Amino acid sequence: MGWKCAPQVMGLVRGEPKQGQKHRANIRKIAMEAGYERASKSDTLDKSRSSKNHYDGYSSGAEFAAVMEQEASKYRVEVNGKTKDKKPVVRKKGLPHNAVIGWAVIYNPPAEVCVTWTNEDYQKFYADCRKCMAEIEPRLFRSENIRMSAEHFDEGIPPDENSGVIDRHLHDLGVSKDADGRYCGNLIDAKLLIKINERFPALMRECGWDMDDLDRTDFERAKTDKEYASERNAKRRQSGLSVNKHLGKKAREMAEDAAELVEQAEALKAQMEADAAARQQQLDLTAQQQETTRKEQEALTQQQEDTQKKLDGRDKGQRRLLKFIYNLYQNLSGERAAFRTYSEGVEMFKAAMDSFVERTTTEARTKAQEEAAAAFQKKEDALEAQKSVLDELEQLRDKLQSSTDTDASRKRFMEAHTFRDGRTLEDAYQASIRQKQEHDTTFMNRASELRNEYDRLRQGVEQQEKQ
């Protein structure tokens, strides 16, 4: 998408234009507004910057107007006429007082487009504008007709203190004579302005400028379409606003945009703070769950140790019982003749006792191991779920970090506006982002510590399982 720039053309006359004269203005007022007198009523005029203005030809608007008026007063053209007795005669005739003796053109590119322009870019833009205007109507706008040029640096958007960018535009003022030296100011009419609006953007695109077509009225349609004619008349009245009203409108629009940006920034900040609080709450809950799991794991480990001690104690008791029985049988009399030999009876009893001990010990150990394995699996599933939550939180952190807005136009706009304490909107916006990043860094460090604690507990459980 390109941008629009329409040359502002005005015919210059001596004194005030008569009622009904369109596209006409007082040459002295226009020239003194462009010249170093800076007789402008613009609300954005800052004469402290007027020393930066550049002038070619005349720098004084009053001097330019005086020379143009004097030249027009001396102008005479021969016309054929007749005397009272019908005899042909050649007379010299001057210009009517309200004749168009000059013209003024303003080339004012949009400030937002020129942010990155260098001085060479501006000079090329002005030169291409003059070239295109001369091609559209060479009788008026050819280079030798330009008598005065003024490039203004003291109007429009205030300069950016950080980048040094200043709003600039050019005034060209010239004489309305054709190549034969005849005044042709009557060429400045509605048809010429329509022709300029139609051809100027296309010619500028040929020169390399990304310029969109200008809006223009279809006068043939306006003759039959009353609704269309009414809309176009309203738009022309709107486009005819004074500079102050136009700039006031632009200022209100910029203020509304700034307020919207601030509101969006505040909403984003509130959302980020709410998300951070929710993440912290979730992290606290996760830490609490992990602490509970750790304690349960320790209790389970202690329970397993206690069970093993009980099994070991039972083995010792069984061994003592076996020894007692063995000793008992050793001291038996011969009445215990159920066995063919004493040794056989002892061995058979010992085998039975060993079988009983082995069966009971194996069942107890198996049951304890199954209970321990089920409890461990349950805790392991819980730890895996908590790890998934941590992974999702880390992905959310990466997503939040990648969503940081570094839009260049937003940054330039926010850096161009300051609070009363001297801070720019960008300073406030970046400060909130840094605060959020610091908070997220603390959050992720805590998450990393919890992850390490989880891995340590898991390794400990795995080692116990192997043993």
Side-chain angles (χ1 to χ4, degrees), residues 128-139 141-143 195 199 202-204 206-207:
D128 290 342
C129 287
R130 289 166 170 166
K131 174 184 174 183
C132 294
M133 291 293 284
E135 183 173 342
I136 294 171
E137 183 47 78
R139 287 173 292 182
F141 304 118
R142 63 187 188 279
S143 59
K195 183 179 179 182
R199 296 191 58 193
L203 292 173
M204 289 294 286
E206 293 177 3
C207 296

Side-chain angles (χ1 to χ4, degrees), residues 13 33 60 143 156 184 234 240 325 342 357 362 377 388 398 423 434 465 467:
V13 299
E33 181 180 348
S60 169
S143 59
C184 56
I325 294 174
Y342 175 77
V357 170
T362 300
Q377 184 62 43
S388 176
D398 295 338
R423 294 183 302 119
R434 288 193 297 271
E465 184 179 10
Q467 293 175 356

Side-chain angles (χ1 to χ4, degrees), residues 98-116:
N98 61 348
V100 177
I101 64 174
W103 50 263
V105 181
I106 302 176
Y107 304 111
N108 190 6
E112 61 273 14
V113 175
C114 309
V115 171
T116 60

Side-chain angles (χ1 to χ4, degrees), residues 329-349:
Y329 270 82
Q330 266 189 333
N331 297 319
L332 288 178
S333 64
E335 294 178 0
R336 298 277 184 171
F339 309 107
R340 289 178 294 179
T341 65
Y342 175 77
S343 298
E344 182 181 357
V346 171
E347 289 297 325
M348 291 177 65
F349 189 83

Side-chain angles (χ1 to χ4, degrees), residues 36 70 121 188 203 216 322 338-339:
Y36 69 75
Q70 186 178 11
D121 293 329
I188 302 176
L203 292 173
R216 54 186 182 275
L322 177 61
F339 309 107

Side-chain angles (χ1 to χ4, degrees), residues 280 283 390 394 397 401 437-453:
Q280 185 62 41
L283 183 60
L390 289 175
E394 186 173 0
R397 190 282 309 268
Q401 289 181 344
Q437 291 175 343
E438 293 173 357
H439 194 279
D440 283 353
T441 299
T442 303
F443 164 76
M444 292 311 301
N445 289 339
R446 179 56 180 162
S448 178
E449 293 175 0
L450 292 175
R451 187 187 298 274
N452 293 336
E453 180 65 17

